[in-house]
Amino acid sequence: MKAVPVWNPWLWPVLAATYAGEAALQTLSRSMTARPTEPVGPEPAWATPHTVRLDLPSLRVREFSHRAGRVPTLVMAPFALHGAALADFAPRHSLVESLLGEGLTGVCVVECKSAIPSMRFLSIDNYLADLTVVVQDLGGLVNLIGLCQGGWLSLMFAARFPQMIRSMALAGSPIDLSAPSAMVAGTRATAPEFFEGLVRSGDGLILGQRALDLWGVVSPDPAAASEVLQVGQNALEDLFERYRQWHQWTVNLPGSFYLEVVEHLFRRNELARGEFRALGQVADLSSVKAPLFLLAGAHDEVTPPAQLLAARRLVGTPARRIRTAVAPCGHLSLFMGQRTLRREWRQIAGGMRSLSQ
């Protein structure tokens, strides 16, 4: 299966490694300033009816179902280049729909808001603290599902507050970055000044629309969308415009948050090494003992399976309570692909349901 490009700000270092010297950085920064800073087009729609349960300065919580007496399920959507609606993209291409269809209740999605100038100094700790507020609001105990970047943030949270986790699923999440990938190699080959220059060029933010310009991204073609969504092109007609609009709508990241991720995770691999400090203490992954579901993509061009599956030896969950699956797909198909949602996620949701009674 050919890899489908994914335009993700954590992939910037791969391109950055091809630049050298201050002159190249200045040229790149000038080219970025010509790009608009606001998202293009309307914000992507969510497919499933819901309400906004919490609206905090940094994030909002969308609630899709509620039933008292059961452990709620909280999805931590990625905070990367594209919007969180990928967790509820369209009928038959919605993780939310799959979870509800398997009988999970109290399904909520955490959506990190696109950063504005007043948010430029927000750090990883800020998002962990706000996630603590969210979980407390849901009753203090959740099934936690982390998608891509939302996975390592969820694992940090679980390490700090293991008593708040009933079960956990991680999908396409870079956990141990000692496993080789072009993204990690590019990051470590690039001077920190480059990343600092990207933040300065956005006045303290990483600007999503400028990221598209930096990569020279063009609108996705039907073949690429068909592969991501795992449908034939005959079935794509009604979906393609929705996918194109989702693809072109981007979010901005706080510069401080971005630089922390680059330095502490991608360069130093502190989370897997047991050295990352989260909310004042080291995030000890061995303290995570809840049942764990790991979903990787065999052709994942963002997170090679080894980076995620290494979590099996890092957490304290007994091996018999860890389930793994490697789906025959790329990165975005882990969250939006029709086959993956029907097969692998159905099994994950069924396991979580049995633990939520």
Side-chain angles (χ1 to χ4, degrees):
M1 179 182 295
K2 83 179 169 58
V4 178
V6 175
W7 312 114
N8 183 311
W10 313 122
L11 290 178
W12 289 11
V14 179
L15 178 63
T18 66
Y19 291 86
E22 184 64 22
L25 176 58
Q26 291 175 355
T27 299
L28 179 61
S29 295
R30 283 196 298 271
S31 72
M32 290 176 69
T33 59
R35 187 76 178 183
T37 61
E38 296 299 320
V40 172
E43 182 174 353
W46 295 68
T48 306
H50 63 277
T51 59
V52 175
R53 179 177 178 126
L54 283 178
D55 196 350
L56 303 176
S58 66
L59 56 83
R60 63 177 59 91
V61 177
R62 298 178 184 266
E63 185 173 45
F64 296 83
S65 71
H66 175 75
R67 184 182 299 173
R70 292 190 179 182
V71 178
T73 299
L74 183 64
V75 178
M76 188 74 206
F79 188 31
L81 183 58
H82 294 112
L86 95 166
D88 187 40
F89 172 69
R92 295 180 297 283
H93 300 275
S94 165
L95 175 58
V96 167
E97 179 185 66
S98 295
L99 299 177
L100 294 173
E102 289 304 310
L104 286 171
T105 58
V107 175
C108 296
V109 174
V110 176
E111 175 191 17
C112 294
K113 296 179 178 179
S114 183
I116 58 177
S118 63
M119 299 165 65
R120 63 189 181 277
F121 296 121
L122 291 184
S123 66
I124 293 174
D125 269 0
N126 290 116
Y127 289 94
L128 287 171
D130 286 347
L131 184 54
T132 307
V133 172
V134 172
V135 175
Q136 291 285 15
D137 182 72
L138 291 172
L141 182 67
V142 296
N143 298 306
L144 187 56
I145 297 175
L147 310 180
C148 188
Q149 171 276 333
W152 57 251
L153 192 75
S154 296
L155 193 57
M156 289 175 183
F157 177 85
R160 285 291 283 108
F161 306 107
Q163 72 279 8
M164 295 185 176
I165 306 300
R166 183 65 186 90
S167 68
M168 170 175 281
L170 306 177
S173 303
I175 304 302
D176 184 0
L177 297 176
S178 67
S181 72
M183 176 164 47
V184 173
T187 303
R188 295 175 181 175
T190 304
E193 291 77 14
F194 182 88
F195 305 106
E196 294 164 3
L198 292 178
V199 173
R200 285 197 302 273
S201 74
D203 294 327
L205 302 177
I206 290 293
L207 301 173
Q209 286 299 308
R210 292 181 182 176
L212 295 181
D213 194 40
L214 174 64
W215 273 94
V217 177
V218 296
S219 294
D221 59 43
S226 175
E227 185 168 337
V228 167
L229 299 175
Q230 298 176 335
V231 296
Q233 292 197 37
N234 290 338
L236 186 66
E237 183 176 351
D238 294 336
L239 286 172
F240 180 67
E241 180 59 22
R242 189 181 188 115
Y243 183 80
R244 188 192 66 79
Q245 291 179 2
W246 172 83
H247 188 276
Q248 75 174 4
W249 195 89
T250 61
V251 297
N252 304 330
L253 306 180
S256 294
F257 171 85
Y258 178 78
L259 293 177
E260 281 185 338
V261 173
V262 168
E263 183 62 25
H264 295 287
L265 301 186
F266 281 86
R267 294 177 71 89
R268 300 185 189 176
N269 198 27
E270 290 182 2
L271 182 60
R273 290 168 60 90
E275 299 171 356
F276 186 82
R277 295 189 66 84
L279 295 174
Q281 294 183 13
V282 170
D284 181 5
L285 299 186
S286 68
S287 67
V288 178
K289 295 182 169 59
L292 180 63
F293 304 85
L294 301 174
L295 175 60
H299 311 290
D300 193 331
E301 63 285 1
V302 175
T303 306
Q307 292 184 356
L308 170 64
L309 299 180
R312 291 176 296 190
R313 59 175 173 77
L314 299 174
V315 300
T317 304
R320 69 180 184 280
R321 304 183 76 190
I322 300 176
R323 301 183 190 177
T324 64
V326 180
C329 67
H331 190 69
L332 284 179
S333 297
L334 289 171
F335 324 122
M336 307 165 80
Q338 187 175 98
R339 290 192 304 273
T340 308
L341 291 166
R342 187 173 61 241
R343 297 175 185 174
E344 284 79 10
W345 278 109
R346 181 177 182 180
Q347 295 178 12
I348 293 172
M352 284 192 159
R353 183 187 65 245
S354 68
L355 296 166
S356 302
Q357 306 300 322

